[in-house]
Amino acid sequence: MILKDGHSSSYSFPIQIGKKSLLILLGICLLLILISYIPRSSYEAQVKERIFCGAEELVFDGSKSMFQGEGALFENAESQSDTYARTGNHSSKTDKDQAYGMFYLMKKARPGDRYRVSIWRYGNKLEASRLVVSIDNPAGEAFYKHSDIASEIDDKEWEKLELSFEVPAYYQEQGIRIYPMGGASAVYFDDLSIERVAMASSAIVGHIDSSIFSLNLKIDDSRMDFLKNRRQEILNTGIYFAEDKDWVKARIIETTDEIPVKLRFKGDWMDHLKYEKWSFRIRAKEEHAWNRMTTFSIQRPENRDFLSEWMYHQFLAREDVLSPRYDFVKVSLNGEKKGIYALEEHFEKILPEYRARREGPILKFSEDGVWNARKRSLDMDIPGREVEDKHKSFEAAEVLAFREKRILEDSVLRKQFEVGRSLMLSYKEGKKAVSEIFDLDLLAKYYAITDICQAHHSTIWHNQRFYYNPVLAKLEPIAYDGYTESGIFGLGGGKRILGEGINLALGNPEDELIQQHMRDTAFVKKYHQYLNKFTQPAYLDDLILDLRPLWEGKLYQLRKEYFDYTYDPDQLKAHARRIRALLFPLNDNSIRVSMEKGNGNQAVYRLRNYHLLPLEIIALDETHLEEPIFVWPSDQEQLIEFTEFEGPKDTRKLLFKLPGLDEIYESRVLPWSRELAEIPLASANFKLEESDFLKIEGQKVLISGKHQIDKDILIPPGYRVEILPGTRLDFVKGAAFISRSAVQLLGTEEEAIHLYSSDKTASGFTVLQAAEKSNIRYTNLEHFSSLNKAQWQLTGALCFYESEVDIAHLLVHENQCEDAINLIRSEFEIRNSVISHSFSDGLDVDFGKGDIHDLLCISTGNDGVDFSGSRVNLFGLEVRNPGDKGISVGEESFVIIYDAKIEGANIALASKDLSNAEVKRIEISSCNTAFTAYQKKPEFGPAKIKVEELILDKVNFLHLIERGSELRLKGKLAETL
């Protein structure tokens, strides 16, 4: 296309265009239009103002030389150099004599303004050179951000450093310093750009879940004035110490309701208060909850590194490791939109219950000494942690419980707290094996996931939280606070994983606690197994793909406010690759073994482990050892140096593996001596000993005959326990049966098994975390109580925890405890069985799944059957004369009742707290009330009952249905209260 000569604004084509050419031209135009509509990014920053320094031109301002930039003058003109330049002929040089490059002091900025700064760097990449933004804070902690990692490298090997920042609320034109900083050798900087930016949104293409909660807070004017004044006091001190007076009344405004709450400021450091987004802890008034939480916190998303913390919590939840619920929420305060906040559940009893655990104390180490010491350091301008360490903040820290007053006023919870406190102190002081204190499986998952997510901030001793599991009488970790505003919290010595450096005497309390774990052989095996499992590319691909609609939706919401925030979940895979590179040993390198001396056909061998993790010796040449040998890593300042053992004199190689994994490695025996030392092996929790009634045949344990048992029977994992037909065991003097292996009670109709307690003191028949399914046939269990050992208390005479069981022809009679049968987190089937004269509940199922066929419950002290958080099918249930309810369905259970008879109950069937009971056929006689449905706990919701076929006889009230709950009787909706 050629324009006519001349300067006229009109133009025309000099030749006529044919139809084919015209179609081509139209096609090109259409393509250009389509390209212009392709979205480049979800959110793009709009540059409002920009100043720039290319280090080219110098001017004299009347007192000194300055760089003449675009829109401003820049100091440190003496750093100008013509040795290297990215653009033009000059750059700004830093070295040992000139530490700082081009410098700009920006004063005309407003709190809340957002800036993006970038500069290009050339020179020694090992130097500690960086781009810096800093602001003085007269009232407390200064603002300091830096970037030293390149975001881009051009074809001339210049590296781009960039960072973004928001001007803090306390800014009063004291000046914002922006400059590059070099090191000892020469580093060059060029093209410094400072941009004030605002955001402009465009649509995100593709399917995402961008839903987000809204939290609308209302605070009266007088209380807002109090908060503002209190905030200023805190900013002036530099550290926040929460006081009872800080709580103020407020309201959460919902569409159709208001929730009364109290709130106070949250956090310790000033990053929770120095910006216009204030962090709050919010507690709903009793009998109220918001989104099934009674207490929670809100804070700036950057305080937990945005989506990094969210992905950490999702990973943990996927593997059933406890953590508070963590999400994002849009917050308004008195009608003013405050933007998006990070929402974090507080440590209340609903936290474990929401994750299908029984209520139990949540524990921590007291932080008082830490923050008192840090306050003194701040007041007296003493850097570092000297005051904190010298005052022994860790050593003096007591074990505390969340909601302490409530726990101490409840006799059961108080006893649980006392046990949990003892376990915590044993952990802190190293007085018990880790495997005796913690649920090892969950602890190993926690550490492995924390390693992959690099969320090591959660492992600092005063950030550690634990749930006391009253069923196992052990602690479970509660993971939270994995990141800081700076992102990843680095491990001492640049470690990638918590298992590295087991033998180093590092001196930090958290390192000493971690080392306790890493010296427990049972824990180490599980830790390695989960590191291997979770770092598999396929596992992480599934995790990221499953969560993609969620994290993309949350990224969409975050970028509405944080326009330049990016998140790449593939960083998990990058961390995993590095971990796998370190995790697996190397042949002929990770172990070095030498023969020290020989005696006949035998020799003494010494070896050293150069791997960063412990290894397990399994064979010499092709001869497998009777017991594998653990060999601990060797490091500088090691606590354990070498291992010595005997073997055949002509051994040529040693076979070893990473404990917990199957792949075998080898190392040849060196022909010279090395000096090493021995390591004691850890002992097991349960010791199995033969007796006159208990025989051990390999991995099988046989129990038979008629015996009186006055000592506990303790079965470790890895066995098969068989109680033979006709066996009669009388448990006296508080004796208990506790097995971590599956049990087979093999009674017959002609020769039933009788387990009883003539003095009515038996401490339960308990199976915990058995790997295989248990079976109970033709067995009578009479006059038993539940497990009660050293304040380790369960509630069931017969109790299964995380153990599959099949029960048929079982009679449980006159038990002396809360539940005749208690099944927790277990799959089960019950057939043709009877529960008679139970002290309280007959059958109690917590977070279980199974089927019941033909179960008869007679004269139970409380409920006939009670389900919490469970999925159960009932085929033939009869309950006669229970103390309260015939069938109780609660805490988000789903129960299908195909056929049931309830006689003599106060309430025949109760459904509560988000539960759903579907009844195909039920007969109800001589009962006060047939059906009730209601919400009992504020963190749950209403319940439902659906009844298809109903037979009634002598029932005073057909139903009592709370408003919001539902009873659908033969297709018709019943009235509510």
Side-chain angles (χ1 to χ4, degrees), residues 54 102 131 201 224 341 387 465 525 528 578 706 718 758 762 783 869 879:
M102 54 189 75
L131 172 63
S201 63
M224 274 300 297
Y341 275 68
V387 176
R465 305 287 185 266
K525 289 183 178 181
H528 294 166
R578 287 191 287 270
K706 181 178 179 180
S758 59
H783 303 301
V879 180

Side-chain angles (χ1 to χ4, degrees), residues 277-541:
K277 279 188 175 182
W278 306 343
S279 298
F280 287 114
R281 176 150 300 145
I282 302 170
R283 178 178 294 164
K285 191 176 179 181
E286 286 189 18
E287 308 304 324
H288 292 273
W290 182 78
N291 284 329
R292 298 183 64 184
M293 291 180 288
T294 55
T295 309
F296 56 93
S297 298
I298 58 172
Q299 58 192 307
R300 298 161 62 238
E302 50 264 63
N303 287 2
R304 293 278 195 267
D305 199 29
F306 297 97
L307 279 167
S308 299
E309 183 84 7
W310 180 86
M311 182 63 82
Y312 179 44
H313 284 257
Q314 297 299 311
F315 200 161
L316 293 161
R318 185 184 181 98
E319 292 299 330
D320 199 32
V321 180
L322 288 175
S323 70
R325 281 169 279 177
Y326 179 91
D327 211 332
F328 301 96
V329 60
K330 290 180 179 176
V331 175
S332 70
L333 179 57
N334 291 340
E336 179 185 356
K337 293 181 179 178
K338 306 300 288 185
I340 193 167
Y341 275 68
L343 170 73
E344 189 176 71
E345 181 182 17
H346 194 50
F347 299 95
E348 302 279 4
K349 72 184 189 71
I350 184 57
L351 190 155
E353 289 178 349
Y354 189 80
R355 304 294 186 188
R357 267 81 161 176
R358 278 192 174 176
E359 181 183 4
I362 297 175
L363 309 172
K364 69 171 183 176
F365 294 117
S366 171
E367 302 176 56
D368 293 348
V370 172
W371 296 108
N372 285 326
R374 292 181 182 178
K375 177 64 167 60
R376 181 171 293 178
S377 296
L378 192 64
D379 290 343
M380 302 183 73
D381 196 25
I382 300 175
R385 296 285 185 260
E386 180 184 2
V387 176
E388 181 180 333
D389 294 338
K390 295 298 183 183
H391 279 281
K392 298 187 180 300
S393 300
F394 170 71
E395 291 80 358
E398 182 52 75
V399 175
L400 303 179
F402 289 88
R403 286 302 184 103
E404 181 176 295
K405 181 179 178 182
R406 176 177 176 273
I407 286 174
L408 296 181
E409 290 175 351
D410 184 298
S411 60
V412 173
L413 290 174
R414 184 183 183 112
K415 289 179 180 178
Q416 292 173 2
F417 165 70
E418 290 170 359
V419 178
R421 176 181 174 275
S422 298
L423 291 173
M424 287 274 285
L425 291 175
S426 296
Y427 163 55
K428 176 185 170 185
E429 297 164 8
K431 291 183 176 179
K432 281 183 176 291
V434 170
S435 51
E436 295 181 81
I437 298 172
F438 297 97
D439 184 317
L440 285 190
D441 202 59
L442 294 175
L443 187 70
K445 287 181 177 181
Y446 160 62
Y447 274 111
I449 292 170
T450 299
D451 283 341
I452 295 165
C453 294
Q454 295 287 281
H456 295 116
H457 190 251
S458 70
T459 65
I460 297 174
W461 71 267
H462 53 81
N463 285 343
Q464 294 184 18
R465 305 287 185 266
F466 297 97
Y467 156 70
Y468 174 73
N469 185 329
V471 178
L472 292 177
K474 290 190 175 183
L475 300 176
E476 290 184 29
I478 304 177
Y480 97 116
D481 198 3
Y483 303 86
T484 68
E485 187 175 4
S486 301
I488 290 172
F489 178 85
L491 285 168
K495 294 186 289 180
R496 289 284 179 189
I497 57 176
L498 291 159
E500 184 180 352
I502 294 170
N503 296 330
L504 290 177
L506 298 175
N508 296 322
E510 53 265 26
D511 290 321
E512 293 174 2
L513 293 175
I514 291 167
Q515 285 176 349
Q516 286 188 46
H517 299 154
M518 299 303 168
R519 292 179 192 145
D520 187 295
T521 55
F523 171 79
V524 163
K525 289 183 178 181
K526 286 184 177 290
Y527 172 61
H528 294 166
Q529 289 168 359
Y530 285 120
L531 272 180
N532 178 50
K533 176 183 176 180
F534 297 157
T535 56
Q536 296 281 354
Y539 180 94
L540 290 174
D541 284 340

Side-chain angles (χ1 to χ4, degrees), residues 259-286:
I259 301 174
V261 299
K262 287 185 177 181
L263 58 79
R264 65 165 173 82
F265 292 127
K266 179 259 181 194
D268 306 298
W269 294 119
M270 294 303 96
D271 56 337
H272 289 279
L273 289 175
K274 67 184 178 183
Y275 301 100
E276 286 306 306
K277 279 188 175 182
W278 306 343
S279 298
F280 287 114
R281 176 150 300 145
I282 302 170
R283 178 178 294 164
K285 191 176 179 181
E286 286 189 18

Side-chain angles (χ1 to χ4, degrees), residues 685-905:
N685 287 334
F686 288 178
K687 290 184 179 180
L688 187 59
E689 300 177 357
E690 272 199 343
S691 64
D692 58 345
F693 68 89
L694 186 151
K695 303 299 180 184
I696 304 172
E697 297 179 359
Q699 297 304 113
K700 184 183 290 188
V701 178
L702 300 178
I703 299 176
S704 63
K706 181 178 179 180
H707 305 277
Q708 188 172 79
I709 311 297
D710 59 5
K711 294 182 179 179
D712 297 339
I713 300 176
L714 306 176
I715 311 294
Y719 288 86
R720 174 186 171 89
V721 182
E722 295 185 4
I723 302 180
L724 302 181
T727 298
R728 296 179 64 87
L729 302 179
D730 180 12
F731 289 78
V732 296
K733 298 181 180 179
F737 181 96
I738 308 172
S739 177
R740 298 186 183 276
S741 298
V743 297
Q744 314 299 323
L745 280 70
L746 306 176
T748 65
E749 189 172 4
E750 294 78 17
E751 292 186 281
I753 293 171
H754 290 267
L755 308 176
Y756 61 99
S757 180
S758 59
D759 64 357
K760 299 182 180 181
T761 64
S763 292
F765 190 98
T766 305
V767 179
L768 303 171
Q769 296 178 313
E772 298 179 358
K773 182 167 72 172
S774 296
N775 291 278
I776 298 176
R777 299 288 184 271
Y778 290 101
T779 297
N780 298 337
L781 187 76
E782 300 180 69
H783 303 301
F784 262 61
S785 187
S786 60
L787 180 63
N788 186 353
K789 293 289 180 181
Q791 300 185 42
W792 177 14
Q793 296 182 356
L794 303 182
T795 61
L798 178 65
C799 179
F800 282 78
Y801 180 77
E802 291 184 355
S803 303
E804 186 178 358
V805 61
D806 189 327
I807 298 172
H809 301 287
L810 168 68
L811 169 63
V812 183
H813 181 62
E814 289 192 353
N815 63 290
Q816 310 299 312
C817 53
E818 186 174 331
D819 306 316
I821 302 174
N822 189 198
L823 307 177
I824 311 166
R825 291 170 65 94
S826 300
E827 294 189 16
F828 63 90
E829 185 170 357
I830 300 175
R831 303 186 305 279
N832 302 307
S833 295
V834 178
I835 298 172
S836 173
H837 295 82
S838 170
F839 175 77
S840 185
D841 292 345
L843 169 66
D844 190 340
V845 180
D846 299 314
F847 315 111
K849 179 181 179 182
D851 295 340
I852 297 173
H853 299 260
D854 300 319
L855 173 65
L856 173 60
C857 297
I858 304 172
S859 298
T860 57
N862 194 44
D863 300 335
V865 292
D866 185 359
F867 305 110
S868 300
S870 299
R871 302 290 182 268
V872 181
N873 296 311
L874 290 172
F875 303 91
L877 169 70
E878 186 172 353
V879 180
R880 301 176 192 165
N881 301 316
D884 189 13
K885 296 179 284 293
I887 304 173
S888 177
V889 183
E891 289 81 34
E892 218 168 350
S893 292
F894 182 75
V895 177
I896 301 177
I897 302 166
Y898 289 90
D899 185 30
K901 295 180 181 179
I902 311 298
E903 177 185 341

Side-chain angles (χ1 to χ4, degrees), residues 216-261:
N216 304 310
L217 291 171
K218 182 72 174 177
I219 305 175
D220 295 339
D221 291 342
S222 60
R223 295 185 176 102
M224 274 300 297
D225 290 338
F226 170 83
L227 289 173
K228 291 175 182 177
N229 293 332
R230 182 69 174 121
R231 172 178 177 255
Q232 192 56 52
E233 291 176 8
I234 296 165
L235 290 174
N236 291 337
T237 64
I239 290 181
Y240 175 45
F241 292 90
E243 301 177 20
D244 288 341
K245 70 175 184 178
D246 290 347
W247 289 97
V248 301
K249 291 182 179 180
R251 288 167 290 161
I252 297 176
I253 309 300
E254 300 284 70
T255 304
T256 59
D257 195 10
E258 291 188 2
I259 301 174
V261 299

